Amino acid sequence: MALPKANRLKSRKDFQAVFREGTRRHGFYLTLRALKPQHAKQPSLDTATKNTQVTDSAHLASTRVGISISTKVSKRAVVRNRIKRQITAALYNLLPKLSPGWRLVVVVKPTAAESKCVSPQFLQELEQLLAQAEVFDGHS
């Protein structure tokens, strides 16, 4: 199951912002980078930037997620893509529980490729990391 387009982190600028400003939570298989939603924007005088701020706040309405998996995890694209699909499926199931506005990047560690039975462990660790980062609804 693919994530809806509204919930995907796509641009390089977004990934860089999460890596630069986001908090980190480490697990055995994954590292989670989470950037909190920013409610207060800086006021500006330019009308062009006001228009972009409106679209930015509309963008922040849904939690957006990106997955980063390098060739250090596995040289084989088949293995990397399988891991990515499993993480995407786990995130798809967790999406309704997440607070709106977060930008998340899931970084896969090389230990993930060594594990044979990946799916239940990924789901459990991903839930644990999201709970530590307080991304679930009910945390602020």
Side-chain angles (χ1 to χ4, degrees):
M1 292 177 225
L3 288 173
K5 282 193 176 186
N7 296 109
R8 293 185 208 159
L9 199 63
K10 290 177 273 197
S11 74
R12 180 182 173 94
K13 194 171 79 173
D14 284 338
F15 272 89
Q16 285 175 336
V18 174
F19 274 94
R20 189 175 51 248
E21 302 163 28
T23 59
R24 289 178 220 143
R25 297 291 180 263
H26 299 283
F28 186 70
Y29 301 109
L30 308 168
T31 298
L32 177 73
R33 298 281 195 127
L35 186 59
K36 275 189 176 183
Q38 297 165 336
H39 297 291
K41 291 278 183 183
Q42 299 170 0
S44 67
L45 301 172
D46 191 16
T47 57
T49 54
K50 283 183 184 177
N51 291 341
T52 58
Q53 284 178 357
V54 170
T55 56
D56 282 349
S57 61
H59 255 326
L60 290 176
S62 59
T63 295
R64 296 186 304 162
V65 184
I67 300 170
S68 174
I69 180 165
S70 76
T71 52
K72 290 179 186 177
V73 174
S74 174
K75 297 286 184 212
R76 298 174 58 212
V78 174
V79 175
R80 293 195 309 272
N81 289 336
R82 183 178 352 103
I83 293 169
K84 206 180 221 184
R85 280 194 307 273
Q86 288 173 337
I87 293 171
T88 303
L91 284 166
Y92 185 83
N93 293 331
L94 292 172
L95 214 50
K97 299 178 189 173
L98 301 179
S99 299
W102 284 82
R103 287 186 281 175
L104 309 169
V105 175
V106 179
V107 182
V108 182
K109 293 183 176 181
T111 52
E114 297 162 11
S115 172
K116 299 297 177 204
C117 178
V118 180
S119 196
Q121 293 163 334
F122 269 9
L123 181 60
Q124 185 180 5
E125 185 169 304
L126 193 57
E127 279 188 63
Q128 194 175 12
L129 291 172
L130 289 168
Q132 286 174 8
E134 299 181 351
V135 179
F136 284 121
D137 259 339
H139 289 95
S140 53

